[in-house]
Amino acid sequence: MNRLIRGGLSAAVIAGLALTVTLGAATAPRVQFTDAKLENGLRVIIAEDHTAPTFSIAVTYNVGSRNERPGRTGFAHLFEHMMFKGSENVGSGEHFVLVYGNGGDMNGSTNKDRTNYFERLPANQLDLALFLEADRMKSLDITKDNLQNQISTVQEERRQSVDNQPYGRTMEALDGLMYENASYRHSVIGSMQDLTAATVDDVSAFFRTYYAPNNAVLAIVGDVKPVECLAKVRKYFEGIPSQPPPPEPDMTEPAQTREKRLTIDDPLVRMPRIDIAYHIPPANTADSEALNVLGTVLSSGRSSRFFENVVRQKQLATQAFAGALESRGPGQFRAIALVAPGKDVADVEAAVYAEIDRVKTGTIEDWELQKARNSARRSLLGGLTSSLQRAVMLSQYAVYYNDPNIINTKLGKISAVTAADVQRVAGKYLTPENRTVVITMPKPAAATKGGE
């Protein structure tokens, strides 16, 4: 169904998929789209929806921090910034001016597995959006001044979001302790030292390797006609040359055979926090949806087990969460508990493990499964009401799994999860030898001279 077809749109229309979105139906909503590929390798997904006279465009590049090598971390996120610093026909910062000045909005984001850029605009501005995305894909303006400016910007962002943020270093410590594989060990934002060391040659090489049409998926959702829309895409993008396929990162991770544990001091926090991570398989594999349901049972809402038993009844923690992170490589199921004032860290940690054990050996009620299905439906429907979220999901599923139609099948997989499935994955993955624990403790303020 997701076969890519070179040539005209008429040949690219996927059998069985019409060109509308149906929302509010009793059955799962279905996003209908076309899927084509240009000669230069750019994959183009178009979903027609005339609900409003607007459209959204998302360009997802198959590059994230997992593609960075040691000593050169933070490059993918750095490019999230560099891509707004101008290109052959667009001045520095003009991307913002042109989009906002024509009634749109825009942004970009980076994670370990991908980088995306997106805009929403009135329907009559399709040419503008395609021109802007194509121009920076073919001719990004990488200069020493631009690079230094954005390195400074990213380093300031790191100070704000990591170095000077309560619990900001906790996730870095957890990933660094949990993973043996370098691809997932470092943070997306990278290290100060690596950013400082970045050169124009380094960054230019990174751009040529990863920001090519054959390493990207373009999704357009909204008030467009697919035939006309694809013709415009060809006009702006088909002349951009493809590049040699980038190297695939090695994502192998050895099995963990013993608990890993670390305590860090954080002078910015007032209460201890417990972060527990378990290795799980990549997302979109056999156990993924059962792990997602497990996260809902443990911590979604005030009726969840963590909230009812750890937070409300025992009053050991002020907050407690759990859930599986979507990862293309070795994944994480993470549990976090913020220790309540006056409570012992060990007691809170033991209470978290007790709830996990209760899932493994006790009974999972029908209402808990139904709640997970309802939550998944609400989340999916909420996302699908936005043309931008549809564009992001379609392009991301295409990059991650070569299957944008996951947007139509994910809800059914969650609905099929049984109580036995949830207990099986809890018993299989949430084991003592497979967990990594980081305790973040308040660091007492240094005594001042004279005892003042």
Side-chain angles (χ1 to χ4, degrees), residues 37-44 58-64 67 79 83 115 117 133-140 142 203-218 236-247 399:
K37 203 169 193 179
L38 306 190
E39 290 296 331
N40 60 8
L42 179 67
R43 189 171 183 174
V44 184
V59 183
T60 298
Y61 289 92
N62 186 12
V63 58
N67 300 92
F79 262 95
M83 290 285 270
T115 305
Y117 302 90
E133 291 296 347
D135 205 59
R136 62 184 176 184
M137 182 185 285
K138 71 180 179 185
S139 61
L140 187 67
I142 302 174
V203 173
S204 297
F206 197 81
F207 177 74
R208 286 194 302 273
T209 301
Y210 294 108
Y211 295 81
N214 51 306
N215 201 46
V217 174
L218 168 65
Y236 290 104
F237 285 88
E238 206 152 45
I240 304 173
S242 61
Q243 298 294 330
V399 167

Side-chain angles (χ1 to χ4, degrees), residues 219-441:
I220 303 169
V221 177
D223 189 14
V224 298
K225 294 290 187 183
V227 173
E228 298 171 7
C229 184
L230 185 60
K232 288 179 182 291
V233 172
R234 292 188 186 283
K235 171 186 172 184
Y236 290 104
F237 285 88
E238 206 152 45
I240 304 173
S242 61
Q243 298 294 330
E248 278 294 320
D250 176 10
M251 298 304 297
T252 56
E253 176 72 22
Q256 186 170 325
T257 57
R258 60 174 179 80
E259 182 191 85
K260 299 179 182 179
R261 180 174 288 268
L262 176 68
T263 297
I264 61 175
D265 293 330
D266 187 337
L268 300 175
V269 309
R270 296 294 176 264
M271 301 306 300
R273 193 174 98 174
I274 305 165
D275 287 72
I276 307 163
Y278 299 88
H279 290 280
I280 60 173
N284 197 40
T285 49
D287 292 336
S288 296
E289 301 310 339
L291 286 160
N292 285 329
V293 174
L294 173 61
T296 300
V297 170
L298 286 174
S299 76
S300 178
R302 299 174 73 87
S303 61
S304 68
R305 298 186 178 204
F306 276 1
F307 184 86
E308 175 62 20
N309 299 319
V310 181
V311 175
R312 193 183 74 82
Q313 290 194 16
K314 297 177 181 174
Q315 299 186 16
L316 289 169
T318 57
Q319 299 177 61
F321 307 100
L325 306 183
E326 183 173 17
S327 300
R328 299 171 68 183
Q332 284 186 30
F333 187 95
R334 190 179 296 170
I336 300 174
L338 192 63
V339 178
K343 301 300 180 183
D344 187 82
V345 171
D347 291 341
V348 179
E349 188 176 349
V352 168
Y353 297 147
E355 293 307 315
I356 291 172
D357 289 341
R358 211 160 61 82
V359 169
K360 297 176 185 175
T361 58
T363 300
I364 297 177
E365 304 293 344
D366 288 342
W367 68 264
E368 292 181 290
L369 294 177
Q370 189 57 47
K371 176 184 163 186
R373 297 180 188 116
N374 292 343
S375 296
R377 173 178 289 276
R378 182 195 61 199
S379 176
L380 181 64
L381 287 174
L384 293 185
T385 57
S386 159
S387 63
L388 177 58
Q389 287 303 311
R390 269 177 278 160
V392 169
M393 283 191 278
L394 286 166
S395 59
Q396 184 162 302
Y397 287 144
V399 167
Y400 279 17
Y401 313 117
N402 192 29
D403 186 7
N405 198 47
I406 287 174
I407 199 170
N408 291 319
T409 59
K410 187 175 181 63
L411 192 58
K413 291 179 180 177
I414 291 178
S415 297
V417 171
T418 66
D421 292 331
V422 177
Q423 290 182 308
R424 176 178 54 77
V425 297
K428 183 176 182 180
Y429 300 111
L430 275 55
T431 62
E433 62 272 15
N434 189 40
R435 72 187 176 214
T436 300
V437 183
V438 172
I439 310 291
T440 305
M441 296 294 292

Side-chain angles (χ1 to χ4, degrees), residues 141-215:
D141 190 17
I142 302 174
T143 66
K144 186 175 181 180
D145 287 344
N146 279 347
L147 177 60
Q148 190 53 53
N149 176 280
Q150 290 311 297
I151 287 174
S152 298
T153 300
V154 172
Q155 288 179 327
E156 182 59 23
E157 185 178 338
R158 182 188 163 89
R159 292 185 188 96
Q160 293 181 6
S161 64
V162 178
D163 298 336
N164 297 322
Q165 182 70 229
Y167 308 106
R169 292 181 176 274
T170 300
M171 288 299 106
E172 282 191 325
L174 188 71
D175 286 348
L177 183 63
M178 175 180 186
Y179 288 114
E180 301 294 331
N181 188 305
S183 295
Y184 276 180
R185 289 194 73 186
H186 65 276
S187 65
V188 173
I189 203 165
S191 76
M192 286 290 195
Q193 294 80 2
D194 290 354
L195 290 167
T196 300
T199 68
V200 169
D201 288 343
D202 291 334
V203 173
S204 297
F206 197 81
F207 177 74
R208 286 194 302 273
T209 301
Y210 294 108
Y211 295 81
N214 51 306
N215 201 46

